[in-house]
Amino acid sequence: MFHALSPSLPLFFGMDRSEQGNAFPEDHEPELKLPHLLFTETVRQLYTKIVNEWDFLKKSACQTAAVRALWKHVIHDPLAHVLAGETYLRNLHEKIMKDRHNNAREISGVILAVRTLWFDSKIEAVLDSLGGAAQVVLLGAGMDSRAYRLSCLKESDVFEVDFPEVLQVKAALLEEALDSTEHLRLMAKSLRRVAADIRENDWLEKLQISGFVLEKNTVWVLEGIIYYLSNSQAMQVLKIVGEKCTLTHTVLLADFMNKASTTLSSSTFHFYSDWPDHLLPSIGFSHVKLSQIGDPDAHFGLMHDPLNLFNKLRNLPRSVETHPDDGTPCCRLYLVQASGSPNQTVSMKAPSQCSI
């Protein structure tokens, strides 16, 4: 649904020009190789529909797919190119090349690359802890292709929830890609697409009609979604998921902006939480672990420079709202894993770098 940062904004919270300290290795030139499939008549027609009819929120799903495609040295996603489309691939490639030329500390797309890898790793770890069998619900799935690229989903029923027009175009693009490439196949045990708007009150009902079982262990994935919602809409979604902790083992994987981050575009970003590790226990979750970009579990070899934007923020207390060096707002993205089961007690864990 709302799967990336606004296309009108940088792909990370700021740009620090200096010696390049993360992202692309020196021997990796980010070539732009566009697959032939992008230029077939069917795919061109589908992307004409995206360009002409989708609003920027829906289009942001293509932007995220472009990051997965061009950061292929760390993200394996063979479907990302066709899901992103030529326009978004060319735009991101141009930004990456400009950043490399200017020796930027943060290369365009790095925050979304780290975010993708964090969600991938947490989904795999959670499913492993559950013995592999669980429901996985992607709220605002956009152009997500995890059902086709994560082998850890082989015993899981996957549900993708998004606007009907997004799911229709995505299904058509995937059909073209799967027909033209023999080795691509569904990795998940099953995949069901649920046409629904999570801002409305009927998305859970539609999810159940599609085969979702309330009493089964479930991993809820809210990647790049929650901050686009109003406060009331976001809290409604979080409370619905939190209520499931009383029925079965429930895991929430989500990213949250702090208040300063929403000022990047007050017309785009609405919901924020400076303390999601305090918020979530109040609505039903018993265990919460919070990370920031650059923490040990949110690094992935892409954050070597101690002076890059994210490492500088990690070393400041989360209560600090402006950076003492330059007075700029401390824009943070929190990566949060929360869980709960019947009869569990509350436990909050935050990394030591993020002192409260």
Side-chain angles (χ1 to χ4, degrees):
M1 188 178 293
F2 315 128
H3 212 263
L5 302 185
S6 167
S8 63
L9 298 170
L11 296 178
F12 48 83
F13 301 144
M15 177 72 77
D16 187 3
R17 303 291 181 186
S18 186
E19 181 182 354
Q20 184 174 314
N22 61 315
F24 285 88
E26 290 298 324
D27 61 350
H28 179 87
E29 187 66 24
E31 269 188 272
L32 183 61
K33 295 182 178 179
L34 299 177
H36 172 72
L37 185 61
L38 289 179
F39 303 100
T40 62
E41 184 62 25
T42 300
V43 172
R44 281 191 174 277
Q45 288 178 357
L46 289 168
Y47 264 90
T48 297
K49 183 181 183 70
I50 290 173
V51 171
N52 293 336
E53 299 180 16
W54 287 16
D55 60 25
F56 79 92
L57 290 177
K58 298 183 182 76
K59 290 176 181 176
S60 70
C62 302
Q63 182 184 6
T64 302
V67 171
R68 297 198 308 267
L70 296 188
W71 284 73
K72 58 182 178 291
H73 60 292
V74 291
I75 300 172
H76 176 67
D77 189 345
L79 291 168
H81 282 83
V82 69
L83 293 173
E86 180 184 1
T87 298
Y88 288 96
L89 290 168
R90 290 192 184 281
N91 288 347
L92 179 58
H93 182 260
E94 182 180 342
K95 292 176 182 177
I96 289 173
M97 295 304 293
K98 182 178 179 181
D99 291 342
R100 286 171 60 90
H101 176 74
N102 292 333
N103 292 320
R105 288 192 188 276
E106 297 88 31
I107 304 297
S108 290
V110 66
I111 191 171
L112 298 188
V114 170
R115 191 182 75 182
T116 295
L117 293 167
W118 184 88
F119 276 90
D120 285 356
S121 66
K122 296 304 179 184
I123 291 171
E124 181 175 6
V126 170
L127 291 177
D128 183 63
S129 71
L130 295 175
Q135 298 173 128
V136 177
V137 181
L138 305 170
L139 293 180
M143 295 298 183
D144 190 290
S145 63
R146 288 187 172 95
Y148 294 90
R149 65 181 182 84
L150 295 187
S151 60
C152 62
L153 295 170
K154 63 178 184 257
E155 297 179 41
S156 297
D157 298 310
V158 176
F159 298 84
E160 295 184 346
V161 182
D162 213 320
F163 296 119
E165 55 268 38
V166 172
L167 295 179
Q168 289 167 5
V169 169
K170 178 182 180 180
L173 288 170
L174 288 173
E175 183 179 356
E176 292 295 310
L178 296 172
D179 285 347
S180 65
T181 311
E182 291 183 3
H183 68 276
L184 294 176
R185 62 180 179 83
L186 184 68
M187 292 284 197
K189 177 184 176 183
S190 69
L191 172 62
R192 298 167 193 178
R193 297 188 175 100
V194 183
D197 184 345
I198 64 171
R199 299 171 299 185
E200 303 297 336
N201 297 321
D202 60 352
W203 64 266
L204 182 61
E205 179 184 356
K206 291 179 178 178
L207 189 60
Q208 290 177 265
I209 292 172
S210 298
F212 176 78
V213 180
L214 291 175
E215 293 78 17
K216 284 188 177 181
N217 293 343
T218 304
V219 182
W220 298 83
V221 179
L222 284 75
E223 181 182 8
I225 304 170
I226 205 73
Y227 26 79
Y228 289 107
L229 307 182
S230 68
N231 183 75
S232 61
Q233 291 165 347
M235 287 305 301
Q236 180 185 48
V237 170
L238 292 173
K239 287 177 180 178
I240 287 173
V241 176
E243 288 169 358
K244 304 302 168 284
C245 294
T246 63
L247 298 176
T248 187
H249 188 73
T250 299
V251 177
L252 170 70
L253 301 174
D255 57 320
F256 292 79
M257 283 184 174
N258 69 345
K259 184 176 182 179
S261 296
T262 62
T263 63
L264 291 168
S265 176
S266 58
S267 62
T268 302
F269 305 127
H270 305 290
F271 177 76
Y272 69 87
S273 178
D274 292 316
W275 307 97
D277 43 341
H278 294 181
L279 169 66
L280 294 175
S282 72
I283 57 174
F285 294 97
S286 53
H287 294 81
V288 181
K289 183 179 185 301
L290 178 147
S291 301
Q292 295 188 70
I293 303 293
D295 281 346
D297 68 337
H299 187 288
F300 305 102
L302 302 179
M303 296 288 150
H304 298 301
D305 188 345
L307 297 180
N308 73 33
L309 173 67
F310 311 109
N311 284 328
K312 288 194 294 185
L313 285 175
R314 288 171 58 237
N315 291 323
L316 292 174
R318 286 162 56 195
S319 57
V320 174
E321 297 182 0
T322 57
H323 202 287
D325 290 347
D326 55 19
T328 57
C330 291
C331 299
R332 301 176 188 267
L333 185 73
Y334 297 127
L335 303 171
V336 179
Q337 177 177 345
S339 63
S341 296
N343 304 319
Q344 281 193 337
T345 58
V346 172
S347 170
M348 293 182 291
K349 297 180 181 179
S352 58
Q353 300 96 322
C354 308
S355 56
I356 298 174

